[in-house]
Amino acid sequence: MASPQRIDERAPVFVISVAAELSGKHPQTLRQYDRIGLVSPQRTRGRGRRYSARDVAKLREIQRLSQDQGINLAGIKRILELQDEVGILADQLEAVRETLESMTPTQRRVFSADRDGEISALRRGERPQRRGGGALVLWRPQRRR
């Protein structure tokens, strides 16, 4: 028996008319959302818009926030930006957790983070490389007695 194939939710497969129908919006509304940066579909060579399943889900979320919650488009754009940022931070946190799990107990004590949020494990006594100034913070959790 063949294993089921996964559908890539980021694949740009829907033309604007199909995406509009799936999201319950008019195609002109989708064009406006593209202009203001709420949803940015991929483009074909002829500059036609191609929407992914993820884009359609985002369009539905925009509609929900607008109609059910009464949030204006600027507010919705900010909410979506913050959701994207939270996703990026969650990925970084997961990477830190994976790094911690792969370390021995003596290695788990020291880390450094650069300005971009990249986390590096350091050996005892090793200093992080400093690029362009900034503060160095050492955090040692209190041990329970």
Side-chain angles (χ1 to χ4, degrees), residues 116-135:
D116 298 325
E118 292 296 319
I119 307 294
S120 304
L122 301 174
R123 292 184 191 95
R124 273 198 109 96
E126 181 182 5
R127 291 188 173 269
Q129 294 182 3
R130 297 175 78 185
R131 296 180 201 118

Side-chain angles (χ1 to χ4, degrees), residues 113-115 128 130-138:
D114 65 16
R115 287 183 173 194
R130 297 175 78 185
R131 296 180 201 118
L136 174 66
V137 178
L138 178 62

Side-chain angles (χ1 to χ4, degrees), residues 12 15 23 33 39-40 48 73 95 97-98 110:
V15 295
S23 64
Y33 288 175
V39 177
S40 299
L73 294 180
R97 285 184 175 143
E98 288 174 3
V110 183

Side-chain angles (χ1 to χ4, degrees), residues 3-100:
S3 64
Q5 291 184 352
R6 292 180 38 140
I7 297 174
D8 183 5
E9 65 180 20
R10 294 178 188 215
V13 294
F14 304 115
V15 295
I16 193 166
S17 59
V18 174
E21 187 175 331
L22 290 171
S23 64
K25 295 282 189 183
H26 191 276
Q28 193 60 36
T29 304
L30 272 59
R31 290 182 189 95
Q32 178 187 4
Y33 288 175
D34 186 12
R35 277 192 296 277
I36 62 176
L38 281 174
V39 177
S40 299
Q42 292 187 17
R43 300 291 185 134
T44 63
R45 288 184 188 212
R47 302 289 299 148
R49 293 171 174 89
R50 292 294 184 270
Y51 292 84
S52 67
R54 179 174 270 181
D55 293 331
V56 171
K58 189 181 264 191
L59 290 166
R60 289 179 179 158
E61 177 69 4
I62 291 168
Q63 182 168 357
R64 187 189 70 75
L65 290 169
S66 176
Q67 291 181 351
D68 297 349
Q69 304 295 319
I71 301 171
N72 65 22
L73 294 180
I76 292 170
K77 184 175 182 181
R78 184 67 181 137
I79 288 168
L80 295 175
E81 288 169 351
L82 290 171
Q83 287 176 339
D84 290 344
E85 190 174 331
V86 166
I88 290 167
L89 292 172
D91 291 344
Q92 286 181 345
L93 179 59
E94 184 59 30
V96 168
R97 285 184 175 143
E98 288 174 3
T99 300
L100 275 173

